[in-house]
Amino acid sequence: MKWLVGLAAGATLVSAWSLSSQAQAQTAPSCPVKIGGILPLTGSMGPVGKRISDSAQLAIKHINEGGGIKGCPVEFVLRDDQGQPTVGVDAAKYLVEVERVPALTGTVSSGVTLPILTSVSVPSKIPQISCCSTAATFTTLAQEGKTGGFFFRTLPTVKTQAYASAQIAAERGFKRVAMIYINTDFGTGMVKDFTRAFSKLGGQVLKTVPYNENQASYRAEVNTALAEKPDAVFFVAFPQDGATMTREWISLGGTQNLILNNSLRSPEYVKAVGARFLQSAYGMDNASVSSPYVEAFKKAFQAAYNASPDGPGIYNQYDATMILGLAMNVASELNGTAIRDAIRKLQDPNGTVVGTGPEEFKKAMALIKERKPIRYSGATGPVEFDANGDINGAALIWTVKGDQLATERTLTIEDMAQVFKKIDG
Amino acid sequence: MIGQAIADGFLTGAILALGAIGVSLGSQILKFANFSHSELLTWGAYLALTFTAFASAGVPIGPLSFGWPLLVAVIIAGLLTGMLAVIVDRLIFRRLRSKNANNLTMVFASFGIALVLRNLVLLLWGPEAQYYTSELQIAIEVLPNIRLLPDQAFVLGLTIVLVIALHAMLKYSRLGMSMRAMAESPSLSRVCGVKIETVVRWTWVFSGMLAAMAGIFMGLTVQLRPEMGFNILLAIFTAAILGGSGSLFGAVLGGLVVGLAENLSVLIIPASFKAAVPFMILILVLYFRPQGFLGVKEKR
Amino acid sequence: MGLVSYLVFFLIVVTIFGILTLGLNLQWGSTGVFNAGVVGFYAIGGYAFAILTAPARPELIGNLGLPWVVGIIGALAVSAVVAIFVGLATIKLRGDYLAIATFGIAVTIQLIALNWEGLTGGSLGLTSIPRPLSGIFTTPLSYNLFYLALTAGFCLLVYWALERVSRSPWGRALKAIREDEGAAIALGKNATSLRLQAFVLGSAVMGLSGALYVSFIGFISPFDFLPIITFQVWTMLIVGGSGNNKGALLGTLIVWGLWSASGTLISKIVPATYQTQGGAIQAILIGLVLVLTLLFRPRGLIGEEPVVSRHVT
């Protein structure tokens, strides 16, 4: 009994100690400046979240090497949301109230990003940039004025991927496609947009089969889709389940004309399925336009982590973090509203272009000091938030050549605009 | 499509059956639902993986995707998992038993143990999915519109062999008889000279070995993940309950029913409700037959 | 100031979970009903509230935009009704069988929430659920203080009600069933009916908790209602002391505190590259706390208090 009380007391003491040391830090000079981060480091998105957090840490490193924020070093306070909304909201509350972060970046799953936004960020007037949440709900909320302009995301909604996939499917002559998709807002959104687009382009979506994650086998779902004998199958999934499904699909004799979503663009997926079965497959991802800044980021990531930044969210998280770093320097004070407004100042059409990496950050700092406008062009290309905090993007088509992932072509923002026009009118 | 669903149902059912038998065996001793049993599945699978990492899965035998090293690994992993089960019992369950802990305590202790075991796997082997071999088998069409992987046929065959062997052991061997006697009445068995502790230990070993095999088969035909055991935990329990506690063939039957139900249900209801199907069957069956298919009616 | 604000938020979550645990204590602690589907009723209360009070949208059947009070009452009523059906379906089951069945029901409820898009919004969930009196308390701190008063008020109300119930003849009959069903039946108590009543009442309380949670966050999705919550609530009850309402609340405070604090600790101590493993370590810690509690203090911190009629001095 005593030991358990002791344990509880100990935990409380540790929390109180760590919290009070924060309180002390507030009365002292305000260095280091904190940026809050919430990402799924454990749970089903764990592997994805971990790599995204690596990207955020790289950005923080570059910010610090480039001069920090208002002369202070930056501390990135990262919390795990474990894929659960309650834990994510608790973490956000903690970051905002106790660590007093003036801005935060997070998270991946829309189901966690949304409650954080509505119950913490918006009421506390703290800007939140998500690298990876794709639900259309955010756009709707912004349009209804419910986000106060505090929400931004550095990735286009699924519409870009879905429409681009439909375009390519039509080009490749597929007429009958089946879809197996993860039963979340991401998957549902992708299905809706793809079906709309593909039908408009003359194709037919025969069957859409939702699946829930973490099942022992997906044979039932695969059989349902197989029964329709489609020309091609579209998998909207994450690497682990996606690999299981693909393997079962192929071994049950399904077509090797696979359409894959961006999260399957991972070396582990290719390895798990076996590259030789993926030669006719193609997938979509949000593209970085080709630019020296994109290349610089790739190099820096490769150097820091000895791995190529392939995978969902990595480029986007780097930009989200860098944007916060720049905005917090531009802002007159380090409070949420000022930072929010400063974020929109980073896309000034008259501004000097600043890119990725510590040297570019230093350059930006000098410009900011002289009160000159800047325009950020990052790992995903030029970043321009619209009124709802969304961005448009280019799309890229990737394939597997030999046993490596390869990029086949890019659909630029202009190309995408044309596709949108063709489908939406 | 029905044919394929039935074939897949048998495969899933075989794996569930092995797990359910293990649960049934364990519940003879423990007299409660041991929710950490499914973690033995995971551990068995990963231990086998570690062995094949040293010696690769080997040159495939015939149409199968693996070679002799995996079979050896199965045996070694089975024994190690059996030992793990014994250790867990020693450390925790036996202590609780000696304190006459109530049912709830045991169940929750098993939850806690499951959490620890599962996350140890995560710590030691990492969260990514793994495979015994990178070979992807192409299914052979054995009957019109019914495709089977050679590995699946192997799993089915081996399961049948194991069940028969287990049944024979329980019925005819001394150890088997002691196990059955102990399940009926520990005190009476002790009076008849049965060494309770030995029987308990062997029951755990068998329970662990069966779990390990189920895990390895799962890893072979699907993939390895830290949550793999946990993901079929409820299905295994449903199978064990359906079959009725204490009945070996009941557990097998339960496993097959659950496996078939899961795979056939998608023909009728949306695939996204698949996970709920075993429970619906369970509730239905238990409403009319609270002791399960082949179980003995509980004497109160 | 920030610390206060965080504590207020923390306590709101504790009181909401506290109500949930109290409901479970009525079912298990008082009656011995092993309900492993706690999160299912939590979900039903939450969704009922959301569907009744959220503003209308063309693609949804529900979203009736009714007042907050109607939402709360609706949550209670719907949870109770569903509990009646569930209770009747599982009436003959005991112990582990009941646990698995109720677990399955919770899984089914979550799946329905995930798939019945027309009613529940499916995987997208329902947003813009109104929070009571949000126009009056405009700053986050003042609103949270108000909401804390609200949830603490409900929590105390439920606590008081359940304490009175357990000291009443009805409550004593429940305990009698738990201790020795045969004897209770011999004395003329309708065990089945009593057990069902306790189950329904407990589930209604759980539904209330769900409604309060959703009303606070303003958003609901099926991913809020995963089985891990059932596990957390049970741990709270066990650690605090099952059969004891004070214990239920204490357990909630401690377990949620540990869960939260361990997350903070790990994020501070563990270097960034090992954060993923940090989460695994947190889970192992919780598992160990649970097992050790059960080994050395199975009755929980407080353990059950003997309840005697208040008419006996």
Side-chain angles (χ1 to χ4, degrees):
Chain A
M1 165 61 174
K2 294 201 179 81
W3 71 267
L4 189 59
V5 173
L7 180 66
T12 320
L13 274 175
V14 171
S15 301
W17 160 75
S18 64
L19 297 177
S20 72
S21 66
Q22 304 307 326
Q24 274 179 0
Q26 288 157 43
T27 53
S30 53
C31 293
V33 168
K34 295 188 190 161
I35 296 183
I38 304 176
L39 288 171
L41 300 172
T42 58
S44 61
M45 296 279 238
V48 167
K50 164 117 183 21
R51 306 191 76 213
I52 294 175
S53 76
D54 287 341
S55 186
Q57 302 280 11
L58 184 64
I60 297 287
K61 184 157 159 270
H62 288 176
I63 294 173
N64 276 327
E65 281 171 17
I69 294 179
K70 299 218 185 285
C72 288
V74 178
E75 187 191 330
F76 186 50
V77 189
L78 177 63
R79 290 290 304 257
D80 179 11
D81 68 29
Q82 301 178 351
Q84 291 179 55
T86 318
V87 178
V89 172
D90 181 77
K93 243 340 185 153
Y94 170 81
L95 287 171
V96 168
E97 303 289 354
V98 180
E99 297 279 358
R100 314 244 81 193
V101 301
L104 64 90
T105 169
T107 170
V108 173
S109 173
S110 301
V112 182
T113 308
L114 192 44
I116 291 177
L117 181 65
T118 55
S119 52
V120 180
S121 311
V122 172
S124 308
K125 299 199 171 41
I126 300 279
Q128 179 181 348
I129 309 188
S130 165
C131 68
C132 311
S133 291
T134 57
T137 322
F138 293 103
T139 312
T140 319
L141 276 180
Q143 283 166 339
E144 293 173 0
K146 299 225 171 76
T147 64
F150 283 101
F151 181 72
F152 303 86
R153 45 186 167 176
T154 50
L155 87 167
T157 61
V158 282
K159 200 164 155 189
T160 306
Q161 273 195 61
Y163 280 29
S165 303
Q167 173 71 19
I168 304 300
E171 278 175 18
R172 287 195 177 197
F174 300 138
K175 287 269 179 280
R176 305 163 73 247
V177 167
M179 298 182 77
I180 305 184
Y181 65 101
I182 184 172
N183 200 0
T184 62
D185 54 90
F186 174 66
T188 324
M190 185 75 89
V191 165
K192 282 205 179 90
D193 287 338
F194 180 83
T195 308
R196 184 187 322 129
F198 195 54
S199 316
K200 212 54 190 297
L201 293 174
Q204 194 194 355
V205 174
L206 299 169
K207 200 141 178 76
T208 63
V209 185
Y211 78 86
N212 297 320
E213 289 184 285
N214 292 328
Q215 290 185 96
S217 150
Y218 296 99
R219 235 168 233 121
E221 286 85 349
V222 164
N223 276 330
T224 313
L226 252 181
E228 307 287 332
K229 301 207 193 325
D231 304 330
V233 67
F234 192 166
F235 288 125
V236 185
F238 288 96
Q240 303 199 103
D241 289 332
T244 313
M245 258 188 288
T246 311
R247 285 168 67 105
E248 289 178 330
W249 175 270
I250 292 176
S251 50
L252 288 175
T255 166
Q256 289 187 21
N257 290 328
L258 308 177
I259 309 175
L260 308 168
N261 76 301
N262 62 335
S263 22
L264 296 176
R265 184 187 177 202
S266 89
E268 48 190 2
Y269 172 78
V270 175
K271 187 147 167 274
V273 174
R276 63 188 178 289
F277 298 109
L278 294 172
Q279 300 298 313
S280 323
Y282 76 88
M284 278 302 140
D285 198 356
N286 298 305
S288 311
V289 300
S290 80
S291 101
Y293 304 123
V294 174
E295 298 306 316
F297 165 72
K298 273 198 208 151
K299 273 217 203 81
F301 192 91
Q302 181 79 42
Y305 299 113
N306 207 15
S308 162
D310 291 326
I314 301 183
Y315 291 77
N316 318 77
Q317 182 63 64
Y318 181 85
D319 282 347
T321 320
M322 283 298 262
I323 286 172
L324 281 179
L326 288 168
M328 286 163 83
N329 274 306
V330 170
S332 47
E333 307 169 38
L334 284 181
N335 71 51
T337 316
I339 298 174
R340 172 199 68 180
D341 297 333
I343 291 176
R344 292 186 180 284
K345 294 209 189 109
L346 299 175
Q347 47 198 70
D348 193 328
N350 301 321
T352 320
V353 175
V354 295
T356 61
E359 294 307 316
E360 288 292 310
F361 197 83
K362 271 198 204 121
K363 181 171 116 190
M365 296 285 276
L367 289 163
I368 294 172
K369 213 159 169 197
E370 297 168 21
R371 299 190 184 284
K372 294 227 178 82
I374 57 175
R375 190 148 49 112
Y376 179 63
S377 177
T380 59
V383 177
E384 281 178 33
F385 295 113
D386 68 13
N388 302 323
D390 289 334
I391 59 173
N392 280 326
L396 73 80
I397 304 162
W398 55 274
T399 53
V400 179
K401 287 275 164 284
D403 49 348
Q404 299 291 332
L405 290 163
T407 307
E408 186 180 279
R409 71 183 228 247
T410 310
L411 295 167
T412 64
I413 297 187
E414 294 77 36
D415 293 333
M416 285 312 303
Q418 276 185 348
V419 172
F420 283 149
K421 198 134 172 242
K422 207 184 340 181
I423 298 170
D424 288 335
Chain B
M1 246 182 74
I2 292 191
Q4 185 66 53
I6 294 181
D8 293 334
F10 271 105
L11 173 73
T12 318
I15 293 177
L16 291 177
L18 287 177
I21 299 174
V23 162
S24 242
L25 279 177
S27 68
Q28 308 279 33
I29 313 172
L30 296 176
K31 308 270 183 255
F32 77 92
N34 175 12
F35 285 103
S36 62
H37 184 83
S38 58
E39 305 309 327
L40 295 175
L41 251 107
T42 313
W43 271 85
Y46 273 90
L47 285 169
L49 182 71
T50 313
F51 281 107
T52 58
F54 287 127
S56 73
V59 174
I61 309 173
L64 300 172
S65 71
F66 55 88
W68 290 114
L70 185 64
L71 289 173
V72 171
V74 168
I75 299 178
I76 299 182
L79 285 168
L80 283 177
T81 311
M83 272 171 26
L84 178 63
V86 171
I87 293 175
V88 168
D89 183 53
R90 266 296 149 74
L91 278 179
I92 317 234
F93 290 130
R94 195 166 69 165
R95 280 208 195 132
L96 288 175
R97 274 202 301 278
S98 67
K99 291 188 186 181
N100 281 326
N102 71 20
N103 199 307
L104 181 72
T105 307
M106 306 282 267
V107 168
F108 267 86
S110 73
F111 266 133
I113 295 168
L115 207 57
V116 173
L117 287 176
R118 181 160 69 245
N119 282 282
L120 274 177
V121 169
L122 184 63
L123 269 180
L124 293 171
W125 282 281
E128 284 95 16
Q130 312 213 34
Y131 300 88
Y132 287 120
T133 140
S134 49
E135 291 298 310
L136 219 185
Q137 293 192 317
I138 302 295
I140 304 172
E141 197 163 358
V142 296
L143 289 171
N145 266 332
I146 301 183
R147 293 184 154 85
L148 215 55
L149 291 172
D151 279 354
Q152 290 176 290
F154 171 75
V155 164
L156 273 168
L158 194 53
T159 305
I160 296 177
V161 167
L162 279 172
V163 170
I164 295 179
L166 194 64
H167 176 74
M169 191 224 41
L170 281 175
K171 193 149 186 206
Y172 300 119
S173 80
R174 202 181 164 75
L175 178 61
M177 285 194 276
S178 314
M179 282 167 73
R180 283 187 294 139
M182 207 202 77
E184 279 280 340
S185 168
S187 32
L188 218 49
S189 334
R190 203 178 265 129
V191 163
C192 291
V194 170
K195 284 203 180 62
I196 295 293
E197 278 316 306
T198 314
V199 174
V200 167
R201 204 179 322 136
W202 276 106
T203 310
W204 277 118
V205 170
F206 282 123
S207 179
M209 286 181 76
L210 286 166
M213 298 216 176
I216 294 172
F217 292 159
M218 215 174 129
L220 194 57
T221 53
V222 184
Q223 68 182 205
L224 285 118
R225 277 209 260 185
E227 320 89 43
M228 60 192 286
F230 181 65
N231 287 338
I232 59 171
L233 171 67
L234 273 318
I236 289 181
F237 267 96
T238 307
I241 294 177
L242 272 179
S245 76
S247 165
L248 174 59
F249 283 119
V252 174
L253 185 60
L256 286 176
V257 167
V258 175
L260 285 168
E262 269 195 21
N263 280 285
L264 285 170
S265 66
V266 293
L267 299 173
I268 312 172
I269 62 178
S272 34
F273 282 99
K274 201 169 69 169
V277 169
F279 295 116
M280 292 300 106
I281 297 185
L282 183 68
I283 294 179
L284 221 57
V285 170
L286 286 180
Y287 190 77
F288 294 109
R289 205 177 154 80
Q291 71 274 30
F293 289 141
L294 299 178
V296 176
K297 230 187 170 80
E298 204 183 53
K299 303 183 205 80
R300 294 209 98 240
Chain C
M1 214 32 198
L3 184 53
V4 167
S5 193
Y6 179 69
L7 272 177
V8 169
F9 168 77
F10 176 82
L11 285 173
I12 291 177
V13 177
V14 168
T15 44
I16 291 178
F17 271 127
I19 296 174
L20 200 52
T21 316
L22 284 172
L24 184 61
N25 190 38
L26 177 63
Q27 293 176 342
W28 168 257
S30 310
T31 320
V33 170
F34 193 162
N35 179 3
V38 174
V39 71
F41 293 99
Y42 186 58
I44 287 186
Y47 268 102
F49 180 84
I51 292 172
L52 285 171
T53 58
R57 275 196 201 287
E59 64 267 17
L60 297 167
I61 304 177
N63 283 37
L64 302 174
L66 296 169
W68 185 82
V69 177
V70 175
I72 295 283
I73 297 178
L76 283 164
V78 174
S79 310
V81 167
V82 173
I84 293 177
F85 282 112
V86 170
L88 286 172
T90 56
I91 202 121
K92 293 190 197 151
L93 301 177
R94 297 285 177 280
D96 312 331
Y97 288 21
L98 180 61
I100 305 258
T102 47
F103 188 98
I105 287 168
V107 167
T108 310
I109 291 174
Q110 201 248 355
L111 284 178
I112 293 176
L114 186 56
N115 288 293
W116 193 353
E117 265 194 58
L119 184 65
T120 63
S123 56
L124 298 164
L126 299 171
T127 54
S128 309
I129 298 168
R131 316 166 88 198
L133 298 185
S134 54
I136 298 185
F137 300 95
T138 46
T139 70
L141 180 60
S142 67
Y143 189 80
N144 286 355
L145 278 169
F146 155 68
Y147 209 83
L148 178 59
L150 187 67
T151 55
F154 268 108
C155 191
L156 285 170
L157 182 65
V158 171
Y159 174 80
W160 176 81
L162 290 181
E163 284 285 286
R164 292 220 50 161
V165 154
S166 73
R167 280 163 177 66
S168 72
W170 188 74
R172 285 200 301 282
L174 292 181
K175 286 248 163 57
I177 302 175
R178 193 190 71 176
E179 297 301 325
D180 190 341
E181 186 164 336
I185 295 178
L187 285 170
K189 297 293 170 197
N190 184 346
T192 312
S193 162
L194 280 166
R195 196 180 283 119
L196 187 60
Q197 289 167 30
F199 185 72
V200 171
L201 187 58
S203 304
V205 169
M206 292 179 188
L208 172 67
S209 172
L212 287 172
Y213 171 76
V214 167
S215 163
F216 178 55
I217 301 280
F219 169 74
I220 189 173
S221 94
F223 303 106
D224 275 313
F225 304 107
L226 296 169
I228 187 91
I229 292 188
T230 302
F231 175 73
Q232 284 170 319
V233 177
W234 270 104
T235 310
M236 291 168 185
L237 186 59
I238 290 177
V239 166
S242 66
N244 185 311
N245 286 322
K246 278 207 254 319
L249 291 177
L250 181 62
T252 307
L253 178 65
I254 291 183
V255 171
W256 183 248
L258 269 176
W259 201 283
S260 236
S262 60
T264 314
L265 254 172
I266 289 182
S267 73
K268 278 198 171 312
I269 295 180
V270 175
T273 33
Y274 294 110
Q275 286 287 338
T276 320
Q277 285 86 333
I281 296 178
Q282 181 188 14
I284 293 182
L285 272 172
I286 304 280
L288 282 176
V289 165
L290 183 58
V291 172
L292 290 171
T293 310
L294 289 170
L295 271 178
F296 298 114
R297 184 92 187 161
R299 284 159 38 119
L301 286 175
I302 299 191
E304 184 163 355
E305 47 177 16
V307 169
V308 184
S309 163
R310 61 182 189 283
H311 297 297
V312 176
T313 45

